[in-house]
Amino acid sequence: MGRRLVPLTLDNLADLPQRCRGCVFWELDPVRGEAAIEAGRAESEKEAWISAVLLEWGSCGRIVYVDEVPVGFVMYAPPAYVPRATAFPTSPVSPDAVQLMTSLIVPGYQGQGLGRVMVQTVAKDLLGRGFKAIEAFGDARWKEPGCLLPADHLLSVGFKTVRPHPTHPRLRLELRTALSWKEDVELALDKLLGVVQKDPVLRPL
C-alpha cells in the first residue's frame, strides 16, 4: 500500500473533501465567514487565505494519499492567521505554538494510524521552523465530524489539556514528544529484530 503525505497547495486543494473546500470556519471571523457563505464566495475566500499564508508564512497543511487516492488532510497555522481562534473561551494559543486547525481521515481509512502519522509530519515541519508545540481547541461534547476535533481524539494521539473547559478545552502537544513516538517504535523493532538475528534457533530437519 503506497502512502505519501504532500504539502497542501492551491494545486491540490481540490483533493480535500467537498464540504471542506468551501469551509472558512477557521480562516475568517464569524461575521465575514457568514457573509462569504451567503454570497457564495467561501471557496474563493479559502483559496485566498491559503495563498496568503503560503506566501507569508509557508506550508500550512498536508494531504494524505494512499495508492494515489486522497484519504485525509490536516491544516495548521500560527494563531495570527486564524481569526476564529479568538472566539474561544480558552484562547489564546501559546506564543511558542502553532494552532492545529482541523484534520480528517475519510471513513474506510480510519484506525490505521494515519492520524498519528499526520501529526508526526506536522511536528517535524514545525520543529524545523522554530516552534515548540502544536495546540488545538478540542470539542469535549463531540457528536459528529465538523471543524473542531474531538478532545478525546486529541488526547489519544498525545495532546494534553493545558486549559480545561467543559466544551472547548485547549490542548497541547510538545513537538519533540510527537517525534519520539516513531523513534521509540523503530528502536523497539530494531532491538527485537536484533535479538532474533543474534540468536537464531536451529531446528533439526
Side-chain angles (χ1 to χ4, degrees):
M1 182 172 67
R3 181 177 69 188
R4 63 190 180 100
L5 285 86
V6 304
L8 173 66
T9 67
L10 293 178
D11 292 333
N12 58 21
L13 179 59
D15 286 344
L16 265 57
Q18 179 64 45
R19 66 183 176 86
C20 300
R21 286 177 223 163
C23 177
V24 288
F25 178 85
W26 291 110
E27 293 84 353
L28 300 177
D29 63 68
V31 174
R32 289 182 59 213
E34 191 65 34
I37 292 169
E38 289 179 0
R41 293 184 288 103
E43 285 199 25
S44 61
E45 288 282 3
K46 193 176 191 91
E47 289 181 9
W49 183 89
I50 291 173
S51 179
V53 176
L54 286 170
L55 286 171
E56 297 172 14
W57 183 68
S59 180
C60 58
R62 290 287 189 278
I63 299 180
V64 189
Y65 296 87
V66 173
D67 293 335
E68 302 307 315
V69 176
V71 301
F73 75 97
V74 59
M75 291 185 67
Y76 53 94
Y81 290 98
V82 190
R84 178 77 66 154
T86 59
F88 286 83
T90 49
S91 66
V93 169
S94 303
D96 63 349
V98 164
Q99 182 182 342
L100 172 63
M101 297 159 59
T102 192
S103 70
L104 175 73
I105 298 293
V106 301
Y109 292 88
Q110 297 168 353
Q112 300 178 17
L114 292 174
R116 180 161 286 206
V117 170
M118 282 200 304
V119 171
Q120 289 173 344
T121 303
V122 173
K124 187 174 182 180
D125 174 34
L126 296 178
L127 197 59
R129 294 158 79 175
F131 293 92
K132 292 184 178 180
I134 309 169
E135 292 191 0
F137 298 103
D139 184 350
R141 299 176 181 174
W142 188 88
K143 292 182 180 178
E144 59 186 6
C147 301
L148 281 169
L149 295 173
D152 287 347
H153 168 72
L154 292 168
L155 291 168
S156 74
V157 297
F159 281 76
K160 298 187 184 305
T161 304
V162 290
R163 191 164 177 195
H165 188 270
T167 307
H168 297 132
R170 179 161 50 90
L171 302 98
R172 178 180 174 98
L173 175 65
E174 301 296 333
L175 297 179
R176 293 193 181 278
T177 300
L179 291 177
S180 72
W181 296 331
K182 187 177 181 183
E183 293 167 5
D184 289 345
V185 170
E186 288 177 347
L187 183 61
L189 187 59
D190 287 343
K191 286 182 177 179
L192 178 63
L193 292 175
V195 169
V196 172
Q197 293 167 359
K198 187 175 180 181
D199 301 308
V201 177
L202 299 177
R203 297 184 181 277
L205 296 174

